Amino acid sequence: MPPHPVPLGFVFRSRAKEEKAPADKAQVTDSKQTRDPQAPKGRPTPKRSEAQTQRRSVAQTPSTRKEAAKRQRDERRVQMEKQRQALANGDERYLPARDKGPVRKFARDFVDSRFCVAEFFLPMAVVILVLSMVRVGSLQNIALLLWLVVIVMIVVDSIGIAIRLKKQLAARFPDVPKKGAVAYALMRTLQMRRLRLPKPQVKRGERP
């Protein structure tokens, strides 16, 4: 008996249909699943303001080392200009770290509101130096005596300023660190008033 004939449709059936069927089923299955809104990006979509900030930061990022160095120089120049203006008008925001804070400001005002012997040291030193250079024995003796008098006056006046300033600071700022404030004030007394930085913000005789 001849063998059973094999259906030609089974042999020559299009593979494209067989391959297309699983793909169609997969698409249908995937379309029915709930899509995770964070799945495509792995993170939530940024807000418009955040996106603009990111684009701005990317645009401002220097692309070369030369541009980065130029930007640093410009920023340093701007910062130095702000600091110079702050030293002139006393703006606390841009003052150097050693001049910032209410304690340091009070110490400056305490010194600037009075006459200090130490601030006249430079002109007195010039006078004494001129007298000591004159070839007259009496004038040289006077110059030496003046040196001793000036030094003693500066020491006594500085001790008085330190004692009064400590009391004022303890009364006004009991819970604020005051380390170095007295030394800071005494160093300021050694400068002539017009040369002090930051510039004096109080007049002589005016209570800080």
Side-chain angles (χ1 to χ4, degrees):
M1 294 179 61
H4 295 284
V6 179
L8 296 179
F10 177 78
V11 176
F12 298 102
R13 187 169 55 185
S14 174
R15 292 185 179 181
K17 294 181 179 180
E18 294 180 357
E19 294 176 355
K20 184 177 181 182
D24 294 340
K25 291 181 180 180
Q27 293 177 0
V28 173
T29 305
D30 293 342
S31 63
K32 291 182 179 180
Q33 294 179 354
T34 303
R35 185 177 67 85
D36 186 359
Q38 298 184 3
K41 299 179 181 179
R43 58 181 176 81
T45 302
K47 297 180 180 179
R48 179 178 297 179
S49 59
E50 295 177 355
Q52 291 177 351
T53 303
Q54 292 176 357
R55 287 196 298 268
R56 192 178 300 113
S57 63
V58 172
Q60 293 178 353
T61 302
S63 58
T64 63
R65 182 178 300 179
K66 185 176 180 180
E67 292 181 1
K70 182 178 181 300
R71 179 165 298 179
Q72 289 180 356
R73 288 195 300 270
D74 293 341
E75 292 176 354
R76 191 181 304 112
R77 190 180 300 110
V78 171
Q79 186 65 25
M80 291 298 294
E81 177 61 22
K82 290 181 179 179
Q83 188 176 105
R84 187 188 65 80
Q85 294 178 0
L87 290 173
N89 56 31
D91 191 347
E92 285 281 335
R93 296 175 298 172
Y94 303 110
L95 285 175
R98 66 182 179 85
D99 299 314
K100 283 186 176 181
V103 174
R104 297 298 174 97
K105 183 180 186 306
F106 180 81
R108 291 196 302 272
D109 294 343
F110 184 86
V111 169
D112 298 336
S113 64
R114 64 192 66 236
F115 286 95
C116 304
V117 178
E119 67 180 291
F120 302 105
F121 172 76
L122 185 59
M124 287 188 297
V126 173
V127 173
I128 294 172
L129 182 61
V130 171
L131 291 177
S132 65
M133 294 176 64
V134 178
R135 299 287 183 157
V136 178
S138 59
L139 291 180
Q140 291 180 347
N141 292 333
I142 293 174
L144 180 60
L145 182 62
L146 286 176
W147 270 119
L148 296 177
V149 172
V150 168
I151 292 175
V152 171
M153 290 176 60
I154 290 175
V155 171
V156 172
D157 186 55
S158 298
I159 292 175
I161 290 175
I163 293 174
R164 291 193 296 271
L165 180 58
K166 280 184 179 180
K167 291 182 179 179
Q168 293 282 343
L169 291 175
R172 292 179 177 246
F173 309 97
D175 301 325
V176 180
K178 297 174 281 292
K179 183 178 179 181
V182 175
Y184 173 78
L186 293 179
M187 290 297 296
R188 189 172 177 85
T189 62
L190 294 173
Q191 303 170 350
M192 298 179 67
R193 180 181 174 87
R194 67 179 62 183
L195 301 179
R196 292 172 183 171
L197 291 175
K199 294 289 185 181
Q201 302 297 315
V202 295
K203 298 179 181 179
R204 294 191 191 271
E206 184 179 352
R207 300 183 64 179

